[in-house]
C-alpha cells in the first residue's frame, strides 16, 4: 500500500504542471472528451507497464544521455505544437470538432489521442519517476497501479477543463502557449547538463 500511495503522490505532483496535462487539454479542444480520455488512458497504461518493466534499466542511464533525450523530446514537441499553432490552416480559429465535413469517429479520435500521449510520455518525468520507484521499492505492480491512477486523474482534469474552455478559447492559442512551455522545458533539460 505504501508503494501505491508513494507512486500516486509522486506522479500526481510531477504531472500536474507537466506537458501531459497540456497535451490532453489541447486534444480535448480538438476532439470529443470521451475518445480523448479513452486514448490517453490506454497510452498511460502501456507507458506505466513499460516504465515498471524497465525501471532498473532506465535508472542506469547516464545523466547526460537522459537530459539530452528529454531535451530532444521536449524540443520536438515544441516544434510540432508551434508549427501547428502558427500554421495558416484553420486560422479562422475553430477546432476540428466544430467545423468540417463530419466529426471524427470515436476510434479515430481515441487512436490519435493514444498516439500523441504515447509519444509524449517517452522520457517524461512521470515515466522516470515510475521506473525509479519500481527499481527502489521492489513492488512493481503497486507502483504501476499508483502511477496509472495519478495519470488518469490528471487526464480527467485536463478533459474536464478542455471541455469547459473549448468554446471560449481558440485551440491555436493553446497550441502556441504549450509550444513555448515545451521549449522552456527543453531549455531547462539542456541547462541541467551544465550542473
Amino acid at each position: 500500500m505504501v508503494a501505491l500511495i508513494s507512486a500516486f503522490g509522486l506522479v500526481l505532483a510531477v504531472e500536474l504542471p507537466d506537458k501531459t496535462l497540456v497535451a490532453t487539454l489541447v486534444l480535448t479542444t480538438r476532439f470529443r472528451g470521451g475518445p480523448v480520455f479513452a486514448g490517453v488512458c490506454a497510452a498511460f497504461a502501456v507507458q506505466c507497464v513499460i516504465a515498471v518493466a524497465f525501471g532498473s534499466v532506465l535508472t542506469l542511464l547516464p545523466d547526460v544521455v537522459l537530459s539530452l533525450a528529454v531535451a530532444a523530446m521536449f524540443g520536438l514537441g515544441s516544434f510540432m505544437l508551434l508549427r501547428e499553432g502558427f500554421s495558416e490552416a484553420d486560422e479562422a480559429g475553430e477546432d476540428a470538432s466544430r467545423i468540417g465535413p463530419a466529426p471524427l469517429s470515436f476510434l479515430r479520435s481515441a487512436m490519435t489521442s493514444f498516439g500523441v500521449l504515447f509519444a509524449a510520455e517517452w522520457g517524461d518525468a512521470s515515466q522516470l519517476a515510475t521506473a525509479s520507484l519500481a527499481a527502489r521499492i521492489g513492488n512493481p505492480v503497486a507502483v504501476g497501479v499508483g502511477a496509472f491512477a495519478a495519470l488518469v486523474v490528471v487526464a480527467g482534469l485536463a478533459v474536464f477543463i478542455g471541455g469547459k474552455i473549448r468554446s471560449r478559447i481558440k485551440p491555436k492559442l493553446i497550441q502556441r502557449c504549450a509550444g513555448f512551455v515545451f521549449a522552456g522545458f527543453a531549455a531547462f533539460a539542456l541547462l541541467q547538463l551544465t550542473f
Side-chain angles (χ1 to χ4, degrees), residues 4-113:
L4 190 143
I5 293 169
S6 298
F8 180 85
L10 179 63
V11 171
L12 187 65
V14 165
E15 283 300 311
L16 279 176
D18 195 43
K19 69 184 183 303
T20 302
L21 180 83
V22 175
T24 306
L25 187 66
V26 170
L27 286 165
T28 305
T29 64
R30 309 259 328 149
F31 308 117
R32 294 185 325 267
V36 170
F37 187 72
V40 166
C41 287
F44 288 151
V46 174
Q47 286 290 9
C48 283
V49 168
I50 291 169
V52 167
F54 295 106
S56 58
V57 175
L58 289 176
T59 58
L60 297 176
L61 284 175
D63 289 340
V64 171
V65 173
L66 194 55
S67 292
L68 286 172
V70 168
M73 284 186 261
F74 278 126
L76 179 62
S78 173
F79 171 76
M80 292 170 65
L81 283 166
L82 290 173
R83 183 182 66 189
E84 186 170 338
F86 285 105
S87 70
E88 301 271 335
D90 293 331
E91 197 56 49
E94 301 300 322
D95 67 60
S97 65
R98 290 181 279 172
I99 63 167
L104 292 176
S105 70
F106 183 95
L107 183 61
R108 182 145 181 217
S109 298
M111 292 302 291
T112 301
S113 300

Side-chain angles (χ1 to χ4, degrees), residues 99-183:
I99 63 167
L104 292 176
S105 70
F106 183 95
L107 183 61
R108 182 145 181 217
S109 298
M111 292 302 291
T112 301
S113 300
F114 175 88
V116 168
L117 265 294
F118 183 76
E121 281 297 298
W122 284 104
D124 188 63
S126 64
Q127 188 182 45
L128 298 174
T130 303
S132 296
L133 282 175
R136 276 189 230 145
I137 294 177
N139 190 345
V141 173
V143 169
V145 169
F148 177 71
L151 290 166
V152 168
V153 167
V154 170
L157 182 62
V159 167
F160 176 77
I161 292 170
K164 295 294 180 190
I165 67 170
R166 162 183 278 228
S167 61
R168 296 186 188 113
I169 197 163
K170 295 181 179 184
K172 290 212 175 278
L173 177 61
I174 294 173
Q175 290 167 334
R176 291 172 187 168
C177 292
F180 287 120
V181 169
F182 277 31

